[in-house]
Amino acid sequence: MWISQKLRPSPPTADADLGVTTIAGGQAGVLTRGEVRSLPIYGPGGYCWMPQNGAEVLVIKGGPGGQEQCVAGMRQAEAEEPMEPGEVLIRGGGASIYLKADGSLVLKGRVSVEGPLFINGEPYKPCTCGEEGTV
């Protein structure tokens, strides 16, 4: 029996597959060739991302037979404007953070600051006279 198992090649398995999320959140459910639930989600360091229901995601398979799986990311959306190499655009809902190659930062959406605000190393002091604040 051992020899017959060694002579018969193992069926090929995919190391990654595209799937569609069926359960959103920190432990995703994904439909690939069948539905798999409670998959951990991985992403780039410093990012916290929760896939939405119906999102097309990349599922990476590991372990013997590919039974250990995780959601690694989703197909990248088209940028609203041309991007340069090395630039980063983070979008969520209607807001975005765009880190540009020239060192500039573009924020879109409502901005809330928690904690002290510094501009050019100086604390920002809001003006109470109805005009803009001062540095």
Side-chain angles (χ1 to χ4, degrees):
M1 181 166 155
W2 179 83
I3 294 175
S4 66
Q5 288 176 346
K6 293 297 176 187
L7 294 175
R8 182 175 7 144
S10 300
T13 60
D15 295 330
D17 207 351
L18 286 177
V20 176
T21 55
T22 56
I23 300 173
Q27 296 285 315
V30 178
L31 180 64
T32 55
R33 289 179 171 84
E35 186 178 31
V36 183
R37 295 184 176 194
S38 299
L39 294 181
I41 299 170
Y42 291 85
Y47 286 61
C48 182
W49 166 67
M50 298 291 179
Q52 298 173 321
N53 279 339
E56 189 176 73
V57 295
L58 177 65
V59 178
I60 296 178
K61 301 175 181 183
Q67 67 268 34
E68 295 176 23
Q69 301 177 37
C70 69
V71 174
M74 61 187 279
R75 185 177 303 270
Q76 185 167 294
E78 291 294 319
E80 296 166 5
E81 57 187 73
M83 294 178 65
E84 298 293 322
E87 293 185 335
V88 176
L89 175 62
I90 302 170
R91 286 190 282 211
S96 66
I97 301 170
Y98 187 10
L99 307 174
K100 299 185 88 168
D102 64 6
S104 61
L105 167 73
V106 179
L107 299 175
K108 289 185 181 177
R110 184 171 180 225
V111 178
S112 298
V113 177
E114 295 184 18
L117 176 63
F118 291 82
I119 298 176
N120 293 326
E122 298 293 323
Y124 176 77
K125 297 179 183 118
C127 178
T128 58
C129 60
E131 297 176 12
E132 292 187 20
T134 60
V135 177

